[in-house]
Amino acid sequence: MRIGVVAESSAGETRVAATPATVQQLIQLGYVVSVETQAGALASFADEAYTEAGATVVTRDTAWANDIILKVNAPNDQEIDRLLEGATLVSLLSPSLNPDLVEKVAARPITVMAMDAVPRI
């Protein structure tokens, strides 16, 4: 299973969906991880740190061409179109506040996990 960690497109966003430490854990679980170049730069994680953790640093198009996509914020329309058929998107979505977004992703043959809708204990 291939995981892509993509850069955030929201202006001012400094978070990244996976750190080098979490990438290393995913690789130890048997996943192949690709990280979009400069995805972690604003969070102070250099591309080299992801490479050292075992990930491959790739272009934007290659990062989006994976089975599972990790992203902090909800995707915009262009990013929804980038998702492969059958892909899984793991992101913050605020589904109750964004019914239009829910309709857009529901129209695609993808699985979406809204991390902000997962109960916390």
Side-chain angles (χ1 to χ4, degrees), residues 70-114:
L70 304 182
K71 186 173 182 351
V72 174
N73 294 303
N76 60 37
D77 290 348
Q78 294 80 23
E79 292 169 333
I80 292 170
D81 291 341
R82 286 179 177 272
L83 292 162
L84 299 177
E85 284 192 18
T88 299
L89 171 67
V90 180
S91 180
L92 299 174
L93 295 173
S94 301
S96 61
L97 300 175
N98 293 311
D100 292 340
L101 174 63
V102 172
E103 287 183 29
K104 288 175 186 175
V105 296
R108 294 287 320 278
I110 59 174
T111 300
V112 179
M113 296 180 66

Side-chain angles (χ1 to χ4, degrees), residues 6-86:
V6 297
E8 294 302 313
S9 56
S10 300
E13 179 59 73
T14 60
R15 296 174 293 176
V16 63
T19 67
T22 57
V23 162
Q24 188 174 38
Q25 291 172 339
L26 291 168
I27 291 168
Q28 289 172 349
L29 291 171
Y31 294 97
V32 174
V33 181
S34 299
V35 178
E36 182 179 341
T37 186
Q38 297 297 304
L42 294 176
S44 299
F45 296 115
D47 287 347
E48 294 78 20
Y50 287 104
T51 303
E52 289 172 13
T56 304
V57 176
V58 297
T59 65
R60 182 167 184 81
D61 288 337
T62 303
W64 280 92
N66 282 286
D67 305 309
I68 300 170
I69 301 298
L70 304 182
K71 186 173 182 351
V72 174
N73 294 303
N76 60 37
D77 290 348
Q78 294 80 23
E79 292 169 333
I80 292 170
D81 291 341
R82 286 179 177 272
L83 292 162
L84 299 177
E85 284 192 18

